[in-house]
Amino acid sequence: MNKEVKKILIFVNGETKITTFDLDEILPVDKVICANGGTKIALRLGIFPNIIVGDLDSITEDIEKRLTKHQVEWKIYPTEKDETDLELAIREAVKFNPNSIYIVGLLGGRIDHTLANIFFLERIKDLNIEPHVIDRKLRIYIMKGEEEKTIWGNKGDILSLIPLSEIVEGIYLEGLKYSLNYEPLYRNLTRGISNVFTDYQAKISIQKGTLLVIHLYQT
């Protein structure tokens, strides 16, 4: 039986300038999973994976040599497949029943991959697992249904709210320059973009719908 797993860190082969400082708030984690080329990002940060998934076309001989002294489980898939490497990594992570999954390298590169990966966050949320996207001065969360969230930051930070469902109802905000008092946001309008922290924390609650929350650190 697997021991209780609370946090899993996944590295994806996107564009990222993340540093070890950005990961201080979540380390240590219970498992590290790399989606193919995400292994390069992990090793750059001095983090060794427990599991590597994908067709391994981005795994060089140098990377293999660096991993020889570490116990790594390899999950090899064909190049032609129905899932992205991120989805395969998430499938492995779900087997451990984690509370949270933190993802590095989700953004950048091809716009189709980026959008598909963002939308896939909702699938993780539906499994009662909290997805967190981490990058340099960036955090992304997802809220769904009747939910409240407190986000810590700095005065002047940017917070954008983007509906993934057609409408998100009953949004209430505190600690931000532009307030909402149990009001809706619509997917085909841009009202939720570029709100500003007026305090060191922002409180968000929603009553219905699916909301993408993007926190951009300014300092």
Side-chain angles (χ1 to χ4, degrees):
M1 180 180 295
N2 294 322
K3 71 174 185 178
E4 182 181 8
V5 171
K6 295 183 178 180
K7 295 189 294 185
I8 290 180
L9 177 58
I10 291 178
F11 289 92
V12 188
N13 192 24
E15 296 177 0
T16 177
K17 295 181 180 179
I18 197 166
T19 67
T20 53
F21 175 81
D22 299 301
L23 296 175
D24 281 350
E25 65 189 74
I26 69 164
L27 293 175
V29 296
D30 299 287
K31 294 285 181 182
V32 176
I33 300 175
C34 290
N36 200 7
T39 309
K40 294 181 290 186
I41 300 172
L43 294 179
R44 173 172 65 79
L45 299 171
I47 297 174
F48 289 87
N50 302 109
I51 301 172
I52 297 175
V53 303
D55 58 20
L56 307 188
D57 62 341
S58 298
I59 305 299
T60 63
E61 290 185 12
D62 180 63
I63 290 176
E64 287 192 40
K65 289 179 181 178
R66 292 186 64 183
L67 295 174
T68 53
K69 295 182 180 180
H70 298 268
Q71 290 185 337
V72 178
E73 187 175 358
W74 301 81
K75 301 283 187 175
I76 303 174
Y77 291 83
T79 301
E80 294 185 4
K81 53 189 181 298
D82 294 330
E83 307 87 358
T84 63
D85 289 333
L86 170 65
E87 184 171 346
L88 295 175
I90 294 297
R91 287 186 179 183
E92 291 300 321
V94 167
K95 294 177 182 179
F96 297 97
N97 298 313
N99 295 331
S100 299
I101 293 176
Y102 296 83
I103 307 170
V104 172
L106 183 85
L107 309 175
R110 284 173 46 177
I111 184 64
D112 52 348
H113 277 237
T114 298
L115 288 174
N117 288 342
I118 288 175
F119 293 143
F120 191 71
L121 298 176
E122 186 174 0
R123 178 62 63 96
I124 303 171
K125 185 78 171 183
D126 287 341
L127 296 172
N128 294 317
I129 300 170
E130 287 298 323
H132 306 259
V133 177
I134 300 181
D135 210 321
R136 186 75 181 117
K137 296 187 176 182
L138 169 71
R139 304 290 184 272
I140 298 177
Y141 313 95
I142 191 167
M143 301 177 66
K144 189 167 187 178
E146 189 172 352
E147 185 175 351
E148 298 180 358
K149 183 178 289 292
T150 298
I151 299 175
W152 292 89
N154 301 297
K155 293 180 181 180
D157 284 358
I158 302 298
L159 193 77
S160 289
L161 307 178
I162 302 176
L164 292 184
S165 54
E166 183 176 356
I167 180 174
V168 178
E169 299 178 13
I171 303 174
Y172 180 80
L173 303 176
E174 287 185 15
L176 296 164
K177 182 177 181 179
Y178 307 107
S179 61
L180 288 175
N181 190 20
Y182 300 105
E183 299 172 59
L185 286 177
Y186 298 89
R187 186 173 57 204
N188 59 359
L189 295 175
T190 60
R191 185 183 180 190
I193 298 297
S194 296
N195 214 329
V196 182
F197 276 67
T198 57
D199 206 337
Y200 293 102
Q201 64 178 17
K203 294 184 178 180
I204 308 168
S205 65
I206 67 174
Q207 294 177 339
K208 187 178 180 181
T210 304
L211 185 67
L212 196 71
V213 180
I214 302 177
H215 179 194
L216 299 169
Y217 293 81
Q218 299 301 292
T219 57

